[in-house]
Amino acid sequence: MKSTTTFYIFLILTAFIGFSLLTGGCAQIGMPIGGPKDTLSPKLIKANPQDGIRNVATNKITLEFNEYIDVQDLQQNLIISPLQNRNPSVIANPKSITLKFRDTLLPNTTYTINFGDAVRDINENNVYKGLTYTFSTGNTIDSLSLSGKALLAETGLADTTMLVMLYRNATDSTVQKKKPSYISRVQRDGNFSFNNLPAVPFRIYALKDGDAGKTYNSLSEPFGFRNEEVLPGKDDDIILYAYSQEKAIDNRTTVPVKGIVDKRLRYTVTVQQKQSLIDPLEIDFNNPLKEADSNKIFITDTLFRKVTGTKFSLDSTAKKIFIRSAWKPDEALVLIVQKDAVKDSSGTALTRTDTIRFVTKKTEDYGKLTLRFNGIDIKRNPVLQFLLGPILKFSYPLVSTEWTNSMFPPGDYTVRILYDRDKNGVFTPGNYLKKQQPEIAVTLPQTLNVRSDWDNERDVDL
């Protein structure tokens, strides 16, 4: 009985498999779906002329790869050293790149072509990092190098849009008139490097990328320089501090919106929640003021008795009024702005007198902050600076290695140390004509979280 049952099962299975093969059903054999993702970048398999060749006479170079490629953002990535006056023509084929120089090649010169992150595979966008091709028009390949860091002087941080430039046989004005001989991009950590350099002295500069002429022609451009020449193979660990000698001017014009124009004089006040104990009360107007009477804008208690000792000031834009006072914690106050207290440039006054009630913050709304600095040089006049986002909120000269503030506003701060050479309390940029280097700052790597009603302490290593 058992053998008969086994025989019938065998017949049924045989019939099922045969039917599946005839109908192309579930038993159909095919290629497996999916598989591991391609994470390999393209590889250079051939170069014509070959990489590292000497005595090159041709102005045409072809690079062949092992798979289909895509060339992206070539203008931002491609760096040819020495720098060309005219950009070469570049033709990208499915598996190759052909580059043709438009400038005449210099004799006895080593050329380096760096493609940056431009070359990728076409399917998974894997980047061929560090693709560099070198050749010489002479008998030797220059092999010296030069490296260092380029940082923004005001923050001590790197800026990847900066270029470092080398000039050969340069005077002080060459950087303002001519393109450099060699350029290198600044990396995320501020590092830069040059390879295949000759054993000759260079002038070295840092400049914000974006100037097609690669020349220093605007005092609002971030720019850094070294007073002395540098020599490849000898000078290393160079640090360039870039600065803007003047603030950039916004030349954009505001186009008036057609329709009803509100010509009323209006304002807002920063005490809609609670007034800070350490900041002034701020009144922001929509138009610049021509007249402002401090006797008609004042603070009272809830019985409308004037608070004495307040100070009234108008900022440089004539659109902000600041009222400073020795604010008491958790105090109910009243701001009174009389309708004839201010007038704008067209003579427009306020439409009514306003009475605005507000309360000051409590001491518990602030935290105690203590910072202990290790390795700081007090003789360099350090200034402790706190930033919220890009805005500099507080600045304090440091006179010892420990700093304490018992009423510090809570928040997540960026902290930096400015070495205030001229003791004016603010960053002073450099001056290339006077060969004056900028003041420099160091930004601490970690954000400082200050909690309210808390003893916040930190040791800082510099």
Side-chain angles (χ1 to χ4, degrees), residues 34 44 90 123 160 252 286 347 391 399 406 411 448:
L44 180 66
V90 180
N123 292 319
T160 57
R252 294 175 296 179
N286 63 322
I391 300 173
V399 294
S406 60
L448 175 66

Side-chain angles (χ1 to χ4, degrees), residues 170-185:
T171 62
D172 288 344
S173 62
T174 302
V175 68
Q176 299 168 320
K177 299 177 181 179
K178 295 182 179 180
K179 288 184 177 182
S181 303
Y182 299 86
I183 61 174
S184 175
R185 297 191 184 279

Side-chain angles (χ1 to χ4, degrees), residues 129-149:
K129 290 186 177 293
L131 175 56
T132 302
Y133 174 86
T134 303
F135 68 93
S136 175
T137 57
N139 295 323
T140 59
I141 295 283
D142 293 327
S143 59
L144 296 179
S145 62
L146 193 68
S147 62
K149 279 183 177 290

